[in-house]
Amino acid sequence: MENQLTVEPWIYNLDEIRGNDLPLVGGKAYRLALLRQNSLQVPPGLVLTTHFFENQLKRSHLTTLWAGSPDVQVTTDALSWLSDTLKTKPIDRELTHTLNQQLNQNFGPEIQSFAVRSSAIDEDQRDHTFAGVHLTELGVPRVMLPVAITRCWASALSETAAEYRIKHGMSIQGIQIAVLIQPMLTPQSSGVGFTINPLTGSTDEMIVEATWGLGESLVSGKIQPYSYKLANDPPRYPVLEHQTGNVPPPDDEADMPLSPTELTALVNQLEQIQAIMGEAQDVEWAKQDGSFFLLQTRPVTPPANTGPMLDQAWTRGSHVEFLPDLPSPLFASLLERTERQAQQFFEAAQIDVTPYTPYLKIHLGRPYLNLSLIKKGMNQLGLNVNGVLRILGYQDRPTQQRRLSVDWQILRRKRHIYKALWGQIRQAETSVQEYQKLVEEMVVDLNGVGTDRSTSELQTQLRQHDRIYNGFFKAELPISMGIAALTAISSTLIAPLTHTPGTVVKTLASQGIDKGANQLNQSLLTLAQNARKDQSVCHYFKHASVSFNDYDTRLAGTLFLKQFHQLLTEQSYRATYEADLGWPRYLEAPEVLLRIIQHYVLSEHQTNTSVAPILLWSDLVKPATGLQRLHSWRRWAVQPFIKQLHNLLILRHRLNEIRAKGMTACRQWDKQLAEQWVKQGWLTEVDDIFWLKLEEIERVILAGVGAGLTISATIQARKETYQGYAQLTPPFNLQESELPAIQYGLSTGDRGNLDVLTGLPVSPGQACGTVMVVNSPEEFEPIADEVILVTSSTNPDWLSLLNRSAGLIVEVGGLLSHGSVIAREYGLPGVANVPQATKRFQTGDVVLVDGSTGVIQVLERTKKT
């Protein structure tokens, strides 16, 4: 029978919701319940479950239109009619009685004003947030709650909601909707917060927008909020940028909606929310009586590319020299977090690489450098890109232009870049010293996890990993760029004297650089010679097992063992791959060195790997003959460049050694933390922690048991993924378009710039199209294939128009206005805060909208009629 009621459950309060209740309470209520369970402040609430909604449909004989049947198909027209009908139908008497009982039991008679919010099962997801689609009613009197509830139900079945679902490939049959009822707050200020930068995806930045009173005007895009960009650097979270809003403060309030102390407290809560949810979040909040209340949280919509995807070229570069084929996921996550440092370097060196694309990515478990970005930078330096890349080892295939060269005209024209770069190179010695001091301080701070450490102390210690590697990257990048430039210039100068100028330059400049490796090798040779002299030691190496797991007992009391232990102590921070903190140090895995010693012991001839520097120039560069005598000046001209190159190579070697010590300290701290997690049953073995990413470890630290119990499944899944990666042999250089084929084992006009306007970039990408200025949705007409919508502000009524537009220009609005959120979901380039946009543009203008920079170019003005 259609009117047969589902008995239970009809209504939950937020504290009754459990892990498997998402299908009953919807995404919004479920997430808020999770925050309450983790001791964050969320107003109490009642959830009218999906069973409550279904019972209303059954008692009203409307189920067939909603769920369909063998004879009835669910259509957008049917849902639209059902949406209108629901608003006119009173809620069933039995359901109303149960609702009133729960209201009195949970809130008492004194609360008479409520916020009523839709909570659909599939909303607030990463790829479909339904921002502004489902209804929220604020300040609802108790007697009007049934009306607000039916309006929320109706919004989930509306034409706008159905079109949104179809656009995102979602079913419109049997749409599940719950409703959340909470006491109405009267906040002094409110707003939204992003745990990452939603425009760039940068995890180093957090965004907070705030206004006075209720935040509805902010979310709807009707005002320009107070905006803060903060560095994700606890515990201070310094403010990087600040913009004042266009709403004056009330007479009895301070000048700003948030004080510095309140702002810090808020972003600290935002980090906790991200840790609990396990991914980047945007959060609606309200401040009342000095406390922050959380009203909604959902995943941040990732930045979308709207134009044709750039087929970026990528290279393994120098990573193959100092990293294993598949670095640990923990180290890979550290690499990915250096993006901000790369961008700052290009800006400081005045190298224009706009539009900026990521400098580094992890492809198939392996780090790749953005070859397209590197080439763009080298071209501005006047360097022969292919020649330099070949010398640096970044080119794995032959190129047509074989001769290394420098375009001296470009070099003179771009001398300001060289001046800026030279300024950074001159500071390299100071940068290395500062980095050494930083690492020394961090090593002391990382000394011991301790069960008595607070959550904030553990988080700060974990963040030292980030500081150590970012500090290295900041110091190393100008050194590497200087090495590339000096190598190119030096090689060009001596090119007429040798067929291999790059080899000559690198050999001359690198004399005596890698002293650490040579000293270690010499120590191993000495130990091997001593082993030959001791019959028992020599016998052991001749018959030792592959693992050498018994060397301590078998060699006990020998001079060799004493000397070997001393070597391990001296080289405690050294490893085959010292940069990767997931790789065992020699002190933990002595069999690596024992295997080398065994090789020397069993070898018939001992070799000395040192080189006599005095022979290098005469051996590598032939005497000048014939016309080449005219080039003899090149020998003395190149000497200063080679000397400076030598100094930079020494600095890079020192830098690598300091990093090795820092990474070793991080590894020891990670293992101590892992030992605690093994005891708690969260990890199977200590080294499993290196299969986690830094942000995942931080999440467990902040969220505790709830997150800790899930990481073993994450680790197992990642191990299986990496087993697949290990079977692949991706090329040294690749195009991004080649990745799918590799993963599956397959082969592999001038426009006039008539006017330029700027605003707030709210949705990245570029779009060129014809302007349509509209003041209300009813005025919209598809006047061209690519329409750029220009309006004063947006609200949920505009969502269907955004679906039919190529770009968006808005007079007011923030990063989390409905238009901005949906524009990012649709990959629609958008610019907000363009004063008098509806007057400065006319319908018919042709414009180029850049939602990444906030720049709008008017390409063609329409002819006035």
Side-chain angles (χ1 to χ4, degrees):
M1 295 289 292
E2 189 184 57
N3 63 348
Q4 181 178 353
L5 296 181
T6 303
V7 178
E8 289 294 347
W10 289 352
I11 301 177
Y12 277 153
N13 68 46
L14 287 178
D15 295 327
E16 294 172 332
I17 294 172
R18 296 296 177 260
N20 59 349
D21 288 335
L22 176 61
L24 289 174
V25 300
K28 188 174 297 178
Y30 184 83
R31 289 168 179 271
L32 289 178
L34 187 58
L35 296 184
R36 277 182 67 91
Q37 290 170 15
N38 282 273
S39 303
L40 291 173
Q41 290 215 67
V42 174
L46 288 178
V47 183
L48 310 189
T49 68
T50 55
H51 286 179
F52 192 103
F53 170 62
E54 290 178 42
N55 274 289
Q56 173 68 8
L57 291 176
K58 290 175 182 177
R59 182 56 62 94
S60 303
H61 305 286
L62 298 172
T63 303
T64 303
L65 290 176
W66 168 71
S69 72
D71 301 321
V72 178
Q73 182 179 1
V74 178
T75 66
T76 56
D77 289 340
L79 288 179
S80 181
W81 181 88
L82 180 57
S83 173
D84 292 337
T85 302
L86 275 174
K87 288 184 284 189
T88 65
K89 290 276 187 181
I91 297 178
D92 173 73
R93 183 178 302 175
E94 184 179 358
L95 295 176
T96 300
H97 177 71
T98 303
L99 171 61
N100 289 332
Q101 278 188 327
Q102 289 294 321
L103 286 171
N104 290 326
Q105 181 178 330
N106 285 272
F107 303 128
E110 62 274 9
I111 296 180
Q112 293 293 318
S113 182
F114 296 89
V116 182
R117 296 181 169 90
S118 307
S119 181
I121 302 309
D122 41 15
E123 73 173 321
D124 286 351
Q125 304 298 315
R126 176 187 292 272
D127 299 321
H128 39 86
T129 64
F130 285 87
V133 176
H134 296 151
L135 188 65
T136 291
E137 296 266 6
L138 301 178
V140 179
R142 182 183 285 246
V143 296
M144 295 299 293
L145 280 175
V147 175
I149 291 166
T150 56
R151 283 167 54 85
C152 285
W153 287 339
S155 71
L157 308 178
S158 66
E159 183 179 357
T160 298
E163 288 181 354
Y164 184 97
R165 287 178 174 276
I166 293 171
K167 169 71 177 179
H168 288 77
M170 303 168 68
S171 173
I172 62 172
Q173 182 175 354
I175 296 171
Q176 299 283 334
I177 182 75
V179 174
L180 172 64
I181 302 173
Q182 295 173 290
M184 188 66 191
L185 298 178
T186 55
Q188 288 77 46
S189 61
S190 54
V192 297
F194 296 87
T195 61
I196 65 171
N197 188 320
L199 294 180
T200 65
S202 172
T203 58
D204 295 330
E205 298 171 348
M206 304 174 75
I207 305 294
V208 172
E209 292 181 341
T211 190
W212 304 102
L214 292 172
E216 184 64 16
S217 57
L218 184 157
V219 175
S220 62
K222 295 178 182 178
I223 63 163
Q224 180 176 329
Y226 291 77
S227 179
Y228 309 85
K229 179 191 289 187
L230 304 99
N232 190 350
D233 186 12
R236 294 185 303 108
Y237 302 99
V239 176
L240 303 175
E241 294 180 15
H242 168 239
Q243 293 182 355
T244 302
N246 61 2
V247 178
D251 294 337
D252 57 344
E253 295 290 347
D255 293 336
M256 306 288 287
L258 292 172
S259 69
T261 302
E262 290 171 334
L263 184 61
T264 301
L266 175 61
V267 295
N268 185 268
Q269 284 198 33
L270 293 180
E271 278 224 289
Q272 293 181 54
I273 294 170
Q274 175 173 292
I276 293 166
M277 296 303 172
E279 58 183 328
Q281 298 286 301
D282 71 57
V283 180
E284 293 183 24
W285 56 269
K287 186 191 74 173
Q288 178 173 296
D289 300 328
S291 298
F292 286 105
F293 291 89
L294 306 172
L295 308 180
Q296 179 173 318
T297 184
R298 59 190 174 201
V300 174
T301 302
N305 290 313
T306 55
M309 290 291 291
L310 295 175
D311 191 12
Q312 299 284 343
W314 298 89
T315 178
R316 297 290 300 276
S318 59
H319 287 141
V320 295
E321 300 175 10
F322 65 89
L323 290 178
D325 180 51
L326 285 170
S328 68
L330 178 53
F331 177 72
S333 68
L334 278 177
L335 277 177
E336 289 180 308
R337 296 162 77 98
T338 60
E339 196 61 53
R340 181 177 176 83
Q341 296 293 346
Q343 191 168 2
Q344 289 178 343
F345 164 74
F346 286 117
E347 291 172 356
Q350 301 181 34
I351 300 174
D352 183 11
V353 291
T354 54
Y356 184 81
T357 50
Y359 176 74
L360 182 144
K361 275 188 178 181
I362 305 299
H363 292 306
L364 307 176
R366 299 158 175 91
Y368 277 82
L369 297 176
N370 190 331
L371 193 56
S372 299
L373 190 73
I374 294 171
K375 287 182 176 181
K376 191 183 296 184
M378 287 187 175
N379 277 325
Q380 294 180 53
L381 295 174
L383 305 180
N384 170 344
V385 173
N386 289 331
V388 175
L389 292 176
R390 189 173 65 252
I391 287 175
L392 296 178
Y394 288 13
Q395 201 74 282
D396 68 335
R397 57 190 70 169
T399 56
Q400 293 180 342
Q401 192 174 13
R402 294 180 178 277
R403 283 293 300 273
L404 190 69
S405 62
V406 175
D407 189 324
W408 299 103
Q409 289 186 348
I410 294 180
L411 191 150
R412 284 192 294 271
R413 202 164 55 242
K414 299 288 186 177
R415 57 185 178 273
H416 66 282
I417 296 179
Y418 276 92
K419 183 178 180 181
L421 181 59
W422 181 247
Q424 292 199 49
I425 293 173
R426 290 180 63 184
Q427 293 297 315
E429 174 72 35
T430 302
S431 298
V432 172
Q433 291 175 356
E434 291 175 350
Y435 180 61
Q436 181 169 357
K437 183 178 179 181
L438 170 71
V439 169
E440 289 172 351
E441 293 174 352
M442 297 298 100
V443 168
V444 172
D445 186 65
L446 287 169
N447 185 21
V449 174
T451 55
D452 58 337
R453 297 272 186 174
S454 67
T455 296
S456 60
E457 287 174 327
L458 288 175
Q459 183 191 24
T460 300
Q461 285 186 315
L462 182 69
R463 288 291 182 95
Q464 309 299 33
H465 295 54
D466 214 353
R467 292 187 179 94
I468 288 173
Y469 205 84
N470 266 279
F472 164 80
F473 195 78
K474 180 180 179 180
E476 194 268 345
L477 202 53
I479 291 175
S480 292
M481 186 62 78
I483 289 172
L486 289 169
T487 300
I489 294 172
S490 302
S491 301
T492 302
L493 283 170
I494 67 169
L497 305 179
T498 176
H499 294 300
T500 57
T503 302
V504 172
V505 168
K506 290 183 73 174
T507 306
L508 290 170
S510 60
Q511 295 180 65
I513 296 298
D514 198 6
K515 294 180 180 179
N518 288 336
Q519 288 174 354
L520 175 60
N521 191 50
Q522 190 60 50
S523 297
L524 296 177
L525 280 170
T526 302
L527 282 170
Q529 292 169 356
N530 293 341
R532 282 170 170 253
K533 298 174 182 177
D534 188 320
Q535 187 174 356
S536 62
V537 177
C538 187
H539 181 269
Y540 173 76
F541 279 110
K542 288 180 179 180
H543 301 90
S545 64
V546 176
S547 63
F548 293 96
N549 55 4
D550 59 350
Y551 84 95
D552 256 327
T553 55
R554 294 285 301 278
L555 300 177
T558 63
L559 177 62
F560 171 88
L561 186 62
K562 179 180 178 181
Q563 293 173 334
F564 184 67
H565 281 166
Q566 183 178 351
L567 177 66
L568 289 177
T569 303
E570 294 170 353
Q571 305 289 334
S572 60
Y573 63 93
R574 302 295 300 272
T576 306
Y577 299 110
E578 296 168 352
D580 188 349
L581 73 175
W583 201 263
R585 310 293 108 166
Y586 291 143
L587 187 61
E588 304 169 68
E591 65 272 9
V592 178
L593 298 183
L594 289 170
R595 201 169 293 120
I596 298 173
I597 295 172
Q598 182 186 47
H599 171 77
Y600 287 146
V601 169
L602 302 181
S603 297
E604 295 183 2
H605 303 285
Q606 298 296 312
T607 57
N608 193 329
T609 57
S610 62
V611 179
I614 194 169
L615 301 176
L616 285 173
W617 182 268
S618 59
D619 285 352
L620 296 173
V621 180
K622 297 179 180 179
T625 60
L627 292 176
Q628 288 186 357
R629 294 176 184 276
L630 299 176
H631 299 307
S632 59
W633 60 272
R634 294 177 181 269
R635 298 192 181 204
W636 58 262
V638 78
Q639 295 296 330
F641 294 102
I642 290 180
K643 182 179 179 181
Q644 183 60 41
L645 180 58
H646 176 79
N647 293 336
L648 288 183
L649 291 171
I650 290 176
L651 284 177
R652 186 167 70 177
H653 174 74
R654 281 178 53 195
L655 198 62
N656 288 338
E657 191 169 81
I658 298 168
R659 175 189 60 184
K661 294 178 180 178
M663 289 293 98
T664 299
C666 291
R667 175 178 171 81
Q668 292 170 348
W669 186 89
D670 294 336
K671 293 185 69 174
Q672 292 175 26
L673 181 66
E675 287 171 358
Q676 293 185 11
W677 289 2
V678 168
K679 293 177 182 177
Q680 291 172 287
W682 299 351
L683 294 178
T684 304
E685 53 187 54
V686 170
D687 280 353
D688 278 350
I689 197 168
F690 301 111
W691 286 95
L692 295 171
K693 296 181 179 180
L694 195 72
E695 53 269 26
E696 292 167 343
I697 297 175
E698 186 167 23
R699 180 193 172 205
V700 177
I701 289 174
L702 293 174
V705 177
L709 294 175
T710 65
I711 57 176
S712 59
T714 300
I715 292 168
Q716 183 58 37
R718 188 160 291 143
K719 285 182 177 180
E720 293 173 1
T721 301
Y722 269 62
Q723 286 176 0
Y725 289 158
Q727 303 302 315
L728 302 174
T729 53
F732 184 83
N733 289 347
L734 57 80
Q735 297 294 131
E736 194 145 2
S737 59
E738 298 172 348
L739 282 169
I742 296 170
Q743 188 159 7
Y744 290 101
L746 304 177
S747 309
T748 50
D750 188 20
R751 293 173 175 154
N753 187 4
L754 305 178
D755 200 359
V756 177
L757 298 89
T758 59
L760 173 69
V762 295
S763 182
Q766 289 187 346
C768 179
T770 303
V771 165
M772 179 72 189
V773 179
V774 289
N775 296 307
S776 67
E778 292 76 21
E779 298 177 4
F780 182 84
E781 295 180 8
I783 59 175
D785 291 337
E786 302 290 332
V787 173
I788 305 298
L789 184 65
V790 179
T791 182
S792 57
S793 64
T794 59
N795 59 50
D797 295 337
W798 296 82
L799 299 182
S800 61
L801 274 62
L802 296 181
N803 189 22
R804 292 181 279 170
S805 304
L808 176 68
I809 301 172
V810 189
E811 288 184 345
V812 295
L815 285 169
L816 197 60
S817 64
H818 292 311
S820 301
V821 173
I822 300 299
R824 288 195 291 273
E825 288 189 17
Y826 286 170
L828 197 70
V831 179
N833 290 343
V834 182
Q836 298 183 320
T838 54
K839 296 181 176 61
R840 299 174 71 176
F841 296 102
Q842 294 186 41
T843 297
D845 289 345
V846 178
V847 301
L848 177 66
V849 179
D850 191 330
S852 302
T853 62
V855 175
I856 307 164
Q857 299 181 45
V858 183
L859 306 177
E860 182 181 337
R861 290 287 187 185
T862 185
K863 295 181 180 179
K864 295 183 179 180
T865 57

